[in-house]
Amino acid sequence: MDGVGGDSVSGAAASLNQRSHEVWKLFQYYLDKSTPHAVYRWIGTCVLLVLYALRVYYVQGFYIVTYGLGIYILNLLIGFLSPLVDPELEHSDGPMLPTKGSDEFKPFIRRLPEFKFWYAITKAFCVAFVMTFFSIFDVPVFWPILLCYWLVLFVLTMKRQIMHMLKYKYIPFNTGKQKYTGKKPASGSRPRAD
């Protein structure tokens, strides 16, 4: 008799496990299909941002959740703007950033790729939005102090990151495909007329 009850429980668990695996595969399928559509993905994340901001404004609370979300996004932004191999921290035989004009061109490789950056921010907004429905996360704080502290952190962190970019001469953004314009004639010499 024990075996019958145990089999139905294990059968239900296996069925639930199979169903959750199918849902995960479907989610991963749509996530993979969204990869080339960066603009639409970011528009969706901005919609989540607006929904979250409206929820916090309407409830007039959850400032500590918003502060934590801001710190997490700042951390993600640093990873997004940083090179994969930091020339300041480690010397590697792999791809390094060119530091002189005569160095070979090496593309900028991010520590945190754009898709993972977007996915982490989107998940963070979803988690923070769900947290606003539980009063245990509504810790009473004086929000202007948190805002000022976050702004100071943002300014200092971005200043350090921009100084790092200037020191190692890299720009973490591209403006599209670079085009070859040909060699410029040396100054003082006229082009030949053949």
Side-chain angles (χ1 to χ4, degrees):
M1 200 74 164
D2 264 347
V4 174
D7 288 342
S8 67
V9 170
S10 65
S15 175
L16 180 65
N17 191 19
Q18 180 183 5
R19 184 72 177 149
S20 66
H21 182 68
E22 289 172 4
V23 169
W24 176 255
K25 280 176 38 178
L26 184 65
F27 172 74
Q28 191 64 43
Y29 171 77
Y30 284 113
L31 193 64
D32 291 343
K33 284 193 66 92
S34 73
T35 302
H37 307 290
V39 173
Y40 298 117
R41 285 189 282 117
W42 283 104
I43 288 172
T45 301
C46 287
V47 168
L48 283 175
L49 166 72
V50 169
L51 286 174
Y52 177 75
L54 287 173
R55 170 80 178 147
V56 169
Y57 178 75
Y58 175 72
V59 175
Q60 294 291 311
F62 298 98
Y63 302 120
I64 200 79
V65 172
T66 305
Y67 176 73
L69 178 66
I71 294 294
Y72 181 67
I73 290 173
L74 183 60
N75 185 25
L76 291 174
L77 184 63
I78 292 168
F80 181 70
L81 295 176
S82 298
L84 180 63
V85 179
D86 192 351
E88 201 168 69
L89 299 178
E90 55 187 72
H91 184 67
S92 172
D93 294 335
M96 295 289 291
L97 294 170
T99 55
K100 298 180 224 152
S102 61
D103 282 354
E104 178 183 347
F105 171 75
K106 294 183 175 92
F108 180 78
I109 301 171
R110 299 178 189 284
R111 187 175 357 143
L112 182 65
E114 183 270 337
F115 184 79
K116 289 183 179 180
F117 178 57
W118 165 80
Y119 187 59
I121 284 180
T122 304
K123 281 194 310 186
F125 276 121
C126 290
V127 168
F129 187 76
V130 169
M131 288 173 76
T132 62
F133 290 98
F134 299 98
S135 62
I136 193 168
F137 299 114
D138 191 11
V139 179
V141 293
F142 187 60
W143 67 266
I145 290 176
L146 287 179
L147 179 63
C148 290
Y149 186 61
W150 186 85
L151 288 173
V152 167
L153 278 176
F154 179 79
V155 167
L156 292 177
T157 304
M158 286 299 109
K159 178 182 175 190
R160 185 178 55 93
Q161 191 67 33
I162 291 170
M163 296 303 288
H164 191 270
M165 289 178 197
L166 293 175
K167 180 178 180 182
Y168 292 102
K169 297 180 177 101
Y170 67 91
I171 299 174
F173 305 106
N174 60 7
T175 57
K177 186 175 178 181
Q178 295 180 354
K179 296 182 180 174
Y180 179 71
T181 57
K183 284 188 174 182
K184 295 180 181 177
S187 61
S189 65
R190 292 183 290 156
R192 293 181 7 188
D194 289 335

